[in-house]
């Protein structure tokens, strides 16, 4: 269904574009060139280029952390943070104190599914 709607939209766009003709395309192209050549636009582009590496680094770090959390939720495996602490369904490890805590209140993970 989506493919059909895309094809219909592409056909309509092509037909309308063909009716507008080359003159309208040239007008739009000239207007876009004027906007792109505007000093304010170029200043903003340079500002964005300068900020992009910082933003990419920050986003990469948070994306990696979020992906790790999602993986741990989906797989049920332990999660380890940057300090070395980790936690799973059966217990946790505190890297600073070197102590482990074990959940022995039930029959391991999934005990709620036992009869």
């Amino acid at each position: 269904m989506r493919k059909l709607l895309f094809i219909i939209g592409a056909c309509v766009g092509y037909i309308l574009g063909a009716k507008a003709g080359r003159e309208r395309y040239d007008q739009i192209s000239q207007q876009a060139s004027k906007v792109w050549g505007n000093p304010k636009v170029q200043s903003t582009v340079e500002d964005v280029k300068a900020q992009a590496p910082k933003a990419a680094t920050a986003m990469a770090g948070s994306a990696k952390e979020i992906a790790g959390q999602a993986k741990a939720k989906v797989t049920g495996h332990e999660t380890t943070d940057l300090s070395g602490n980790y936690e799973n369904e059966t217990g946790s490890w505190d890297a600073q104190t070197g102590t482990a805590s074990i959940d022995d209140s039930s029959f391991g993970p999934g005990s709620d599914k036992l009869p």
Side-chain angles (χ1 to χ4, degrees):
M1 181 66 179
R2 288 185 183 196
K3 197 180 236 185
L4 178 63
L5 289 175
F6 175 76
I7 292 171
I8 290 171
C11 291
V12 169
Y14 177 78
I15 291 168
L16 293 176
K19 283 187 178 182
R22 180 70 182 189
E23 290 175 14
R24 182 65 182 143
Y25 170 79
D26 289 338
Q27 289 174 350
I28 293 170
S29 177
Q30 288 173 355
Q31 191 64 27
S33 294
K34 284 181 188 177
V35 170
W36 185 253
N38 185 322
K40 285 186 177 183
V41 172
Q42 288 304 309
S43 174
T44 304
V45 168
E46 292 303 318
D47 291 344
V48 170
K49 282 182 183 179
Q51 296 293 329
K54 293 182 221 174
T57 302
M59 289 182 66
S62 61
K64 184 176 180 182
E65 184 179 329
I66 291 170
Q69 292 171 355
K71 178 183 175 187
K73 268 188 179 177
V74 170
T75 61
H77 293 100
E78 60 198 36
T79 59
T80 305
D81 62 15
L82 295 176
S83 67
N85 298 333
Y86 75 85
E87 183 177 329
N88 65 18
E89 292 178 349
T90 59
S92 63
W93 171 260
D94 186 352
Q96 292 176 343
T97 62
T99 57
S101 65
I102 299 171
D103 179 14
D104 58 1
S105 63
S106 59
F107 186 76
S111 64
D112 57 328
K113 297 180 181 127
L114 294 175

